[in-house]
Amino acid sequence: MDKLERLLEAPCFILDILPGRVPRRKAKEYAELEKEYLHTEEQEKKFFNVLMKLRCYYDLKIVLPDGEETDDITVADLKESVGRKYLQILVEDSLIVSDPDDMYMSLFNPSDEMLEIIKGITASEGMCVWESTKCD
């Protein structure tokens, strides 16, 4: 099993503007929120800020479609990509997935220390971190 497959099967946390999964009975309200918030400058800025702040603690590497890892992510890389491109970002032995069609980012296999740092960073951006039993 390659590294990405292993990480994608590891425990997953959601970096989100909501504090937990929305109940099925509230799907309409979630769809309305998504319509208003998804693909907005506000959302892109929150995700960009989270990743910029995380760079102060860890090296971030983009995984290219062919599986190749890039060197440390630059500010220009983030400005060009966050909210516009599907990203898989390696952070030590963890993986962050950012899909431009999602209102959240997924974090797989964080260490306890990394999880605490990310909780602080996301809180500073008005976001929440919650554990998910199902990440896709």
Side-chain angles (χ1 to χ4, degrees), residues 18-34:
L18 297 171
R21 188 172 304 280
V22 172
R24 286 186 193 270
R25 65 183 178 76
K26 291 301 216 171
K28 177 184 172 202
E29 288 81 0
Y30 183 80
E32 291 171 343
L33 174 65
E34 191 174 56

Side-chain angles (χ1 to χ4, degrees), residues 2 4 62-70 88 90:
D2 79 349
L4 283 182
I62 293 177
V63 180
L64 301 172
D66 66 2
E68 182 183 341
E69 298 173 17
T70 65
Q88 290 182 315
L90 286 174

